[in-house]
Amino acid sequence: YSSSAVSARQDAAYQLVRLVHALARVHAAVLAPEHAPLFLSAYRCSLHPFDRLLLSLLLRFEHAGTALCSPSLAWGAHVARSLAHGHPSAASSASSSASSSASSSASS
């Protein structure tokens, strides 16, 4: 892909997330729990405006009652290896440890 094609895709993704975010502010019912993994997979934990908007949207999912720390939403190399070797319990423990560390860092 050319850099202009990548840039156009990124801009389209940003505009889509802006739209969903705006709709969610008006009516939280647009935040379908099955859409959370898509937004979570796009989140890169940076200070880029796109990530900041995604974080705000993910927080809206949590406020609407969608649990973002379930094993089905775990990510990372450890989880990928565990799932590849057929050990879903490792994915669950990775998710709970990530949730624990996020909780402890949020309370600091």
Side-chain angles (χ1 to χ4, degrees):
Y1 294 101
S2 71
S3 67
S4 63
V6 170
S7 178
R9 282 197 341 251
Q10 289 172 342
D11 186 52
Y14 180 72
Q15 296 303 327
L16 177 64
V17 172
R18 279 186 63 204
L19 175 62
V20 173
H21 190 272
L23 291 171
R25 277 194 323 237
V26 175
H27 193 19
V30 301
L31 299 174
E34 60 270 15
H35 296 156
L38 175 68
F39 295 114
L40 192 56
S41 69
Y43 182 59
R44 300 287 180 233
C45 303
S46 75
L47 293 176
H48 189 276
F50 181 64
D51 276 342
R52 293 171 65 153
L53 186 62
L54 277 171
L55 178 58
S56 178
L57 184 62
L58 291 169
L59 290 172
R60 288 188 179 278
F61 270 100
E62 284 191 330
H63 289 294
T66 300
L68 298 179
C69 60
S70 72
S72 62
L73 297 178
W75 70 94
H78 173 72
V79 174
R81 282 191 302 274
S82 298
L83 293 175
H85 292 102
H87 302 296
S89 62
S92 176
S93 67
S95 174
S96 63
S97 68
S99 173
S100 303
S101 66
S103 295
S104 65
S105 66
S107 64
S108 305

